[in-house]
Amino acid sequence: MDVTNAAELWDRVVGSQPEPSPWLVAVTGVLALSLVVHRPAWLLARNAITIAHEGGHGLVALLSGRRLDGIRLHSDTSGLTVSRGRPTGIGMILTAAAGYTAPSLLGLGGAWLLAEDHITALLWGATGLLLVMLVMIRNAYGVLTVVVTGAAFLLVSWLTGPEVQAAFAYGVVWFLLLGGVRPPFELQRKRRSYGRRRASAAAGGTDSDPDQLARLTGVPATVWLLFFHVVTLSSLIGGGTWLLGL
């Protein structure tokens, strides 16, 4: 690739794209909401939330100085991230707290990029994060899920026009913001109906994230669940405000 082509590619990635029409923003939001509230669709689409959830655990583990051993994604939309380091302390606390907040915070960051009309940067950035995550996946279903998701981002960003890219990017960000709200409520409902044991089983046989955080900090798991609700709902309000241009 010569210097001119490299410069053009860089300008394409970091430059701004045309702002989509309000109806496209609204339609993609409605479609994302339908994926979240319609249970059969949610059972499939939730895989994307799991990718963000486990990716959040993994990224914060690395940033806090822990050693990331691997990530597993399962067909029932559960996941597991294994890291090594001190079993207590701020690094472990931040790693445990990152999962349920990651989809919403990623959606909030994506909403900011879209508000600044950086659609291509969002698509390429997401592709890069998925490629990095792929290196740490340790099971076949996880590899398949991440490869398919990354390929969708790459193909849309490389082969489609501005309107399709905008529709895809806004749909993804809306889904992260809306879909990030549902898992804490699901976990809360399981804990209320079946108790901690059932919630732990849903987390793959280990303690759920709030239970791990309660053990690490002494703060009750219900308080950590409330924290997850605050982060996800606040991200939805803030990100939705940016997306709608309010």
Side-chain angles (χ1 to χ4, degrees):
M1 180 181 296
D2 59 35
V3 176
T4 302
N5 289 337
E8 290 177 352
L9 180 61
W10 177 253
D11 290 340
R12 178 181 175 185
V13 173
V14 302
S16 60
Q17 287 72 46
E19 184 175 343
S21 60
W23 73 264
L24 185 146
V25 178
V27 168
T28 54
V30 171
L31 290 175
L33 180 61
S34 68
L35 291 176
V36 174
V37 300
H38 184 54
R39 180 171 174 77
W42 172 247
L43 292 177
L44 178 62
R46 197 184 193 278
N47 283 286
I49 300 297
T50 303
I51 291 174
H53 180 116
E54 300 303 332
H57 281 314
L59 177 61
V60 174
L62 291 174
L63 292 177
S64 61
R66 299 181 61 80
R67 178 178 176 181
L68 184 59
D69 282 349
I71 299 172
R72 301 178 70 87
L73 305 174
H74 304 131
S75 58
D76 62 355
T77 72
S78 66
L80 178 65
T81 299
V82 179
S83 63
R84 282 192 284 177
R86 288 185 57 194
T88 58
I90 187 64
M92 188 62 198
I93 293 171
L94 291 174
T95 299
Y100 278 99
T101 58
S104 294
L105 293 178
L106 285 171
L108 184 63
W112 176 79
L113 283 173
L114 294 181
E116 297 296 321
D117 298 326
H118 293 307
I119 297 171
T120 302
L122 183 145
L123 297 175
W124 283 49
T127 304
L129 289 174
L130 288 166
L131 286 174
V132 172
M133 185 176 179
L134 182 62
V135 177
M136 299 307 303
I137 299 295
R138 295 293 182 264
N139 66 321
Y141 183 82
V143 169
L144 176 64
T145 303
V146 174
V147 167
V148 169
T149 306
F153 276 92
L154 183 61
L155 291 174
V156 168
S157 63
W158 193 258
L159 299 179
T160 65
E163 287 193 0
V164 175
Q165 290 185 18
F168 184 79
Y170 273 84
V172 167
V173 171
W174 272 122
F175 180 72
L176 287 172
L177 291 170
L178 293 163
V181 172
R182 182 164 176 169
F185 281 103
E186 292 177 333
L187 180 58
Q188 181 178 352
R189 184 171 62 251
K190 289 175 182 176
R191 291 176 63 86
R192 187 189 310 119
S193 301
Y194 304 104
R196 173 178 170 176
R197 180 177 300 178
R198 176 63 179 270
S200 297
T206 62
D207 281 345
S208 66
D209 291 354
D211 291 314
Q212 290 187 49
L213 288 164
R215 188 180 68 251
L216 290 166
T217 64
V219 177
T222 52
V223 176
W224 284 106
L225 266 174
L226 177 61
F227 169 72
F228 294 153
H229 288 313
V230 170
V231 172
T232 56
L233 289 170
S234 297
S235 297
L236 174 59
I237 294 171
T241 300
W242 272 332
L243 293 176
L244 295 172
L246 301 180

